[in-house]
mmCIF file of all heavy atoms in Angstrom:
data_model
loop_
_atom_site.group_PDB
_atom_site.id
_atom_site.type_symbol
_atom_site.label_atom_id
_atom_site.label_comp_id
_atom_site.label_asym_id
_atom_site.label_seq_id
_atom_site.Cartn_x
_atom_site.Cartn_y
_atom_site.Cartn_z
ATOM 1 N N ASN G 208 87.655 139.769 91.317
ATOM 2 C CA ASN G 208 87.546 138.908 90.131
ATOM 3 C C ASN G 208 88.525 137.797 90.174
ATOM 4 O O ASN G 208 89.208 137.573 90.996
ATOM 5 C CB ASN G 208 87.770 139.743 88.835
ATOM 6 C CG ASN G 208 89.234 140.353 88.652
ATOM 7 O OD1 ASN G 208 90.167 139.582 88.692
ATOM 8 N ND2 ASN G 208 89.234 141.635 88.671
ATOM 9 N N SER G 209 88.344 136.899 89.190
ATOM 10 C CA SER G 209 89.146 135.637 89.113
ATOM 11 C C SER G 209 90.337 135.727 88.200
ATOM 12 O O SER G 209 90.795 134.658 87.674
ATOM 13 C CB SER G 209 88.236 134.475 88.771
ATOM 14 O OG SER G 209 87.204 134.259 89.774
ATOM 15 N N ASP G 210 90.832 136.849 87.777
ATOM 16 C CA ASP G 210 91.812 137.144 86.882
ATOM 17 C C ASP G 210 93.187 136.587 87.607
ATOM 18 O O ASP G 210 93.645 137.231 88.491
ATOM 19 C CB ASP G 210 91.964 138.557 86.425
ATOM 20 C CG ASP G 210 93.104 138.845 85.431
ATOM 21 O OD1 ASP G 210 93.850 137.897 85.165
ATOM 22 O OD2 ASP G 210 93.121 139.943 84.956
ATOM 23 N N PRO G 211 93.864 135.566 87.101
ATOM 24 C CA PRO G 211 95.073 135.123 87.705
ATOM 25 C C PRO G 211 96.110 136.166 87.733
ATOM 26 O O PRO G 211 97.029 136.185 88.709
ATOM 27 C CB PRO G 211 95.541 133.897 86.836
ATOM 28 C CG PRO G 211 94.245 133.516 86.146
ATOM 29 C CD PRO G 211 93.550 134.747 85.907
ATOM 30 N N ALA G 212 96.170 137.035 86.785
ATOM 31 C CA ALA G 212 97.243 138.190 86.786
ATOM 32 C C ALA G 212 96.976 139.103 87.959
ATOM 33 O O ALA G 212 97.914 139.568 88.572
ATOM 34 C CB ALA G 212 97.113 138.965 85.467
ATOM 35 N N VAL G 213 95.844 139.409 88.330
ATOM 36 C CA VAL G 213 95.404 140.243 89.479
ATOM 37 C C VAL G 213 95.882 139.574 90.808
ATOM 38 O O VAL G 213 96.510 140.108 91.591
ATOM 39 C CB VAL G 213 93.963 140.595 89.421
ATOM 40 C CG1 VAL G 213 93.668 141.325 90.818
ATOM 41 C CG2 VAL G 213 93.588 141.356 88.314
ATOM 42 N N VAL G 214 95.576 138.250 90.837
ATOM 43 C CA VAL G 214 95.930 137.470 92.013
ATOM 44 C C VAL G 214 97.438 137.411 92.243
ATOM 45 O O VAL G 214 98.004 137.586 93.296
ATOM 46 C CB VAL G 214 95.274 136.033 91.978
ATOM 47 C CG1 VAL G 214 95.776 135.272 93.135
ATOM 48 C CG2 VAL G 214 93.746 136.119 91.956
ATOM 49 N N SER G 215 98.163 137.175 91.159
ATOM 50 C CA SER G 215 99.597 137.012 91.057
ATOM 51 C C SER G 215 100.236 138.288 91.490
ATOM 52 O O SER G 215 101.191 138.374 92.291
ATOM 53 C CB SER G 215 100.099 136.579 89.762
ATOM 54 O OG SER G 215 101.473 136.396 89.722
ATOM 55 N N ALA G 216 99.662 139.366 91.048
ATOM 56 C CA ALA G 216 100.190 140.849 91.405
ATOM 57 C C ALA G 216 100.179 141.015 92.877
ATOM 58 O O ALA G 216 101.035 141.585 93.494
ATOM 59 C CB ALA G 216 99.567 141.916 90.599
ATOM 60 N N ILE G 217 99.067 140.677 93.479
ATOM 61 C CA ILE G 217 98.880 140.714 94.914
ATOM 62 C C ILE G 217 99.905 139.976 95.714
ATOM 63 O O ILE G 217 100.483 140.394 96.635
ATOM 64 C CB ILE G 217 97.478 140.348 95.309
ATOM 65 C CG1 ILE G 217 96.401 141.381 94.841
ATOM 66 C CG2 ILE G 217 97.348 140.239 96.870
ATOM 67 C CD1 ILE G 217 95.023 141.026 95.027
ATOM 68 N N ILE G 218 100.029 138.671 95.249
ATOM 69 C CA ILE G 218 101.015 137.835 95.966
ATOM 70 C C ILE G 218 102.434 138.453 95.771
ATOM 71 O O ILE G 218 103.315 138.352 96.697
ATOM 72 C CB ILE G 218 101.001 136.399 95.477
ATOM 73 C CG1 ILE G 218 99.586 135.760 95.543
ATOM 74 C CG2 ILE G 218 101.911 135.451 96.237
ATOM 75 C CD1 ILE G 218 99.401 134.455 94.989
ATOM 76 N N ASP G 219 102.722 138.933 94.596
ATOM 77 C CA ASP G 219 104.013 139.539 94.294
ATOM 78 C C ASP G 219 104.343 140.662 95.297
ATOM 79 O O ASP G 219 105.581 140.757 95.595
ATOM 80 C CB ASP G 219 104.068 140.214 92.851
ATOM 81 C CG ASP G 219 104.138 139.123 91.936
ATOM 82 O OD1 ASP G 219 104.492 137.939 92.102
ATOM 83 O OD2 ASP G 219 103.850 139.366 90.668
ATOM 84 N N LYS G 220 103.396 141.383 95.775
ATOM 85 C CA LYS G 220 103.629 142.484 96.746
ATOM 86 C C LYS G 220 104.285 142.039 97.991
ATOM 87 O O LYS G 220 104.956 142.663 98.743
ATOM 88 C CB LYS G 220 102.275 143.245 97.037
ATOM 89 C CG LYS G 220 101.869 144.030 95.808
ATOM 90 C CD LYS G 220 100.518 144.673 96.206
ATOM 91 C CE LYS G 220 99.899 145.471 95.120
ATOM 92 N NZ LYS G 220 98.597 146.110 95.390
#
Side-chain angles (χ1 to χ4, degrees):
N208 63 60
S209 296
D210 184 350
V213 172
V214 176
S215 185
I217 290 172
I218 306 174
D219 285 342
K220 290 179 183 178

